Amino acid sequence: MKVEKKELIELHKFITKKIEKISMSSKPDSTKLFDLNLIDSNLSLLLSMNEDQKVVELGKTDSKIKDALKEFRKNTKTKTDPLDLFNDVQDIAEDVSAAINKALKKVSAFNEEILVNNINTRLNQALYLMNEIIEASTKTKKLKKQWLTEKIPLPSKNAASQLGSIKSEKKAIASRKNGKKGGRPKKS
């Protein structure tokens, strides 16, 4: 996730004010205070490491800063910038994608073929859609603009072919029954 340095500086001020406010209260929440101090020190380190840059890349290890940034944006902006929303959704899509991959590994350990096929089909479709969001936000500006200005249809052919390829006893019975009636009608 790329963030402008000036926004991180504003976040740092926001966190500092929250620390002061909690510290001054009659019963300060020590857990919250600890978390805020941790974010404060991580932000200070991040800003000092990127003094000469206008844009700072937040990695997977900066999850606390990302969470604080989301809260900061929620508290400071009344109207969400579409690109900020797009970046937030990309972060969520990356998290969902990781969770889907974890679920796929768990499912592959089971011996129930029909259940595994049903779950895998749906998880793979979800993974495909999450990767589409991730790729759209990391590729060209043209693709980002397309996502912001055009209605992009879901890949229904992919979903239909995956769902149709699942074999089940119910489908087999219906197919045999249809075959007794003469099968699929001829094209006229």
Side-chain angles (χ1 to χ4, degrees):
M1 174 179 188
K2 292 184 180 182
V3 183
E4 288 187 29
K5 185 179 175 186
K6 61 183 177 183
E7 187 177 18
L8 288 177
I9 292 169
E10 290 299 316
L11 172 64
H12 193 250
K13 291 176 187 174
F14 176 76
I15 296 294
T16 305
K17 285 180 185 175
K18 282 183 86 171
I19 291 171
E20 288 173 10
K21 185 178 178 181
I22 292 173
S23 298
M24 300 300 258
S25 67
S26 59
K27 290 186 178 181
D29 183 352
S30 60
T31 307
K32 187 142 182 114
L33 199 55
F34 177 80
D35 288 342
L36 288 171
N37 280 317
L38 182 66
I39 294 167
D40 182 52
S41 62
N42 286 346
L43 267 171
S44 297
L45 182 63
L46 186 68
L47 289 169
S48 66
M49 288 173 47
N50 296 287
E51 284 181 1
D52 56 337
Q53 296 179 353
K54 290 183 178 180
V55 177
V56 178
E57 179 75 36
L58 296 179
K60 291 182 179 181
T61 57
D62 300 317
S63 61
K64 294 268 187 199
I65 295 175
K66 287 180 184 179
D67 292 343
L69 187 60
K70 287 175 188 173
E71 182 186 345
F72 171 69
R73 286 176 175 169
K74 190 170 89 174
N75 290 332
T76 56
K77 290 186 181 179
T78 54
K79 184 180 177 193
T80 305
D81 179 24
L83 288 176
D84 288 342
L85 174 66
F86 202 76
N87 289 332
D88 290 346
V89 170
Q90 177 198 6
D91 290 342
I92 294 167
E94 287 173 351
D95 293 343
V96 170
S97 182
I100 290 170
N101 282 322
K102 190 175 177 181
L104 282 168
K105 286 179 184 174
K106 277 188 173 183
V107 169
S108 66
F110 283 90
N111 294 330
E112 299 290 328
E113 187 178 334
I114 294 172
L115 175 65
V116 169
N117 283 341
N118 286 331
I119 293 173
N120 277 341
T121 301
R122 283 150 184 87
L123 288 176
N124 283 324
Q125 184 66 25
L127 187 61
Y128 174 82
L129 294 172
M130 291 302 106
N131 286 334
E132 190 177 40
I133 292 170
I134 294 166
E135 287 177 16
S137 60
T138 57
K139 288 192 176 177
T140 64
K141 288 181 181 178
K142 182 180 178 184
L143 190 56
K144 269 188 182 179
K145 186 175 181 183
Q146 180 185 7
W147 270 71
L148 291 168
T149 58
E150 297 176 25
K151 187 173 183 178
I152 301 173
L154 287 172
S156 58
K157 182 180 179 186
N158 188 16
S161 66
Q162 284 186 349
L163 292 172
S165 68
I166 298 172
K167 296 178 181 178
S168 72
E169 189 59 33
K170 198 174 186 180
K171 282 181 171 179
I173 292 169
S175 181
R176 282 193 293 272
K177 198 173 179 182
N178 192 29
K180 289 178 184 175
K181 294 179 186 175
R184 182 184 289 270
K186 302 278 188 239
K187 287 186 178 178
S188 51

